[in-house]
Amino acid sequence: SESSPAILYLRDVEKLIFRGSNTFSLLQKMINKLSGPIFILGSRVLGGSFHDQVIYFFSQKFDYFNQ
């Protein structure tokens, strides 16, 4: 049978992958069980001063920008 396309979204993927070898192995096993066309999208959570700089930049450029 044919599988429908799927999107797998991983929030804060760096933290997930580098948490430890057991976590990475589990993630890898779960991904390998998926079949059909899959788009894997990972995000990175920003923090600290870089996050503050991004917020400041967009708030200066766009009047309607809210954090």
Side-chain angles (χ1 to χ4, degrees):
S1 76
E2 193 173 309
S3 298
S4 297
I7 298 173
L8 175 61
Y9 172 68
L10 301 172
R11 184 176 188 268
D12 203 5
V13 71
E14 282 183 18
K15 187 176 179 181
L16 178 66
I17 289 175
F18 295 117
R19 180 174 281 172
S21 60
N22 290 338
T23 305
F24 180 75
S25 294
L26 179 62
L27 175 64
Q28 199 170 27
K29 287 177 186 177
M30 290 171 51
I31 290 174
N32 287 337
K33 287 182 180 182
L34 299 173
S35 64
I38 300 167
F39 178 74
I40 301 175
L41 177 64
S43 70
R44 182 175 168 198
V45 175
L46 299 176
S49 64
F50 183 75
H51 178 263
D52 296 337
Q53 291 173 9
V54 170
I55 297 300
Y56 177 77
F57 173 80
F58 282 104
S59 65
Q60 296 298 310
K61 302 293 181 194
F62 304 102
D63 294 335
Y64 52 86
F65 179 79
N66 287 322
Q67 184 175 344

